[in-house]
Amino acid sequence: MSQVLRPRRVGVFGGAFDPPHQAHVALARAALAQLGLDELRIFPTGDAWHKTRRLSAASDRLAMARLAFEGLPGAVVDERELSREGPSYTIDTLEALAAEAPGAEFVLLMGGDQWAAFTGWHRWQDIATRARLCVLARPGSAEALPAGLAPPLQLVLPPMDVSATALREALADGHLSPEEQARLLPEAVARYISTHGLYGHPQPGLTAPHA
Ligand code: ATP
């Protein structure tokens, strides 16, 4: 019986993951389940050229990404963008992956906010040639198809109103209830944030200094 061999299909998912939250994990899980991926590579960004604020330490974001995605078979956290000098450009990562796996197909995953801004990405036409794009709609982000791009693949998943920015703010303000925390953050990530006192989150066991 002849066997049809198809190219290896690799998902590529980059982000600041500052911190990684449940929408990231849901997106990764849906991509693995719905796109026939052989592997999903997850890239915490180094110097995120499109973010104006300073990111948390690379070591913390890497550790949290590993904790967030460790339960997903086929997901691999790849740290190469963290050690790259200069801005983290997706095209550099795609070219490196293509050189390592000739013949592989790549699917680049992103949320609707990134899709809406995609034609501002460095060498976006080359990215669109190298990879199929797959978008998860995000509440509040535009749905329009940027000119010159084919419609992307879409994941079947209800939109999730969660962002790392809102989480950082809620953690800093101490406004994140245990229920909200459990809903929005993977448990191991919440524990890491608490243990390491990230985002202004009070560290357990620390008492206020005496005046
Ligand atoms: P921040 O609020 O700090 O900008 P973020 O929540 O957007 O962070 P990132 O790490 O920047 O998180 O996102 C990585 C990828 O995940 C991006 O492609 C982003 O669009 C996507 N993403 C993040 N949150 C969602 C969400 N709620 N729905 C769909 N996609 C999302």
Side-chain angles (χ1 to χ4, degrees):
M1 200 170 67
S2 73
Q3 206 185 359
V4 181
L5 285 179
R6 68 162 179 81
R8 184 170 177 74
R9 190 173 297 156
V10 179
V12 175
F13 183 35
F17 302 125
D18 191 13
H21 51 63
Q22 291 294 17
H24 296 135
V25 178
L27 188 156
R29 183 177 288 116
L32 280 159
Q34 296 174 23
L35 302 176
L37 301 180
D38 296 296
E39 183 185 7
L40 174 60
R41 290 265 179 152
I42 294 160
F43 295 92
T45 50
D47 177 5
W49 57 272
H50 58 299
K51 301 234 182 204
T52 45
R53 71 177 186 88
R54 216 181 139 82
L55 299 179
S56 301
S59 55
D60 286 325
R61 292 185 296 109
L62 176 61
M64 290 190 287
R66 289 204 171 117
L67 292 169
F69 298 106
E70 69 187 351
L72 286 183
V76 179
V77 175
D78 186 319
E79 57 187 277
R80 76 182 72 195
E81 289 194 0
L82 291 170
S83 47
R84 191 183 292 155
E85 290 288 320
S88 267
Y89 289 129
T90 299
I91 187 64
D92 296 337
T93 303
L94 280 174
E95 287 179 345
L97 292 175
E100 287 165 19
E105 288 178 357
F106 297 98
V107 183
L108 179 64
L109 304 164
M110 66 185 75
D113 57 315
Q114 294 301 319
W115 167 248
F118 181 69
T119 53
W121 286 25
H122 181 61
R123 293 176 57 198
W124 63 270
Q125 292 98 333
D126 293 333
I127 297 176
T129 306
R130 287 260 178 207
R132 285 298 304 272
L133 306 185
C134 179
V135 174
L136 176 62
R138 190 166 186 180
S141 57
E143 295 289 320
L145 181 66
L149 277 175
L153 301 169
Q154 303 258 355
L155 292 175
V156 181
L157 196 65
M160 284 162 290
D161 197 6
V162 41
S163 77
T165 302
L167 277 165
R168 288 192 303 274
E169 286 171 4
L171 284 162
D173 293 351
H175 286 155
L176 198 63
S177 69
E179 295 74 27
E180 284 278 282
Q181 181 167 300
R183 190 172 66 81
L184 301 175
L185 282 171
E187 194 186 337
V189 172
R191 217 175 306 121
Y192 186 97
I193 290 170
S194 164
T195 310
H196 293 79
L198 300 185
Y199 312 117
H201 190 283
Q203 276 179 281
L206 287 187
T207 49
H210 294 293

